[in-house]
Amino acid sequence: SIAMIFKLPNWLPTAIGCNGQFYSFKKTDASANTVTITGVGGQTIEGAANKVLGTQYQTTSIVSDNANWWII
């Protein structure tokens, strides 16, 4: 199989002003490439600067509390 790397914006939109907005992410390939989700402007994901998905089919969903992002 062939692993492909796509460079997308690696940050979330601001959590401010979107209370309750959620996003889901899934790593679908078996490559060593990771999916790294990063908050913007110092906003955190469950208190961390980013969330990394490293294994095939690993998923995460996050929701805004109007200040930061939380894993649901």
Side-chain angles (χ1 to χ4, degrees):
S1 73
I2 299 171
M4 301 175 96
I5 299 173
F6 293 96
K7 291 286 188 182
L8 300 174
N10 63 347
W11 61 88
L12 292 164
T14 183
I16 298 168
C18 62
N19 189 39
Q21 177 68 45
F22 71 93
Y23 294 92
S24 294
F25 301 88
K26 183 176 186 177
K27 178 177 169 19
T28 58
D29 71 335
S31 74
N33 299 325
T34 61
V35 174
T36 303
I37 308 152
T38 305
V40 67
Q43 294 171 2
T44 62
I45 302 169
E46 199 88 7
N50 57 51
K51 171 71 177 167
V52 177
L53 306 180
T55 59
Q56 187 175 25
Y57 305 126
Q58 185 177 3
T59 63
T60 194
S61 295
I62 58 173
V63 65
S64 167
D65 69 356
N66 211 36
N68 289 289
W69 296 95
W70 295 95
I71 297 170
I72 53 174

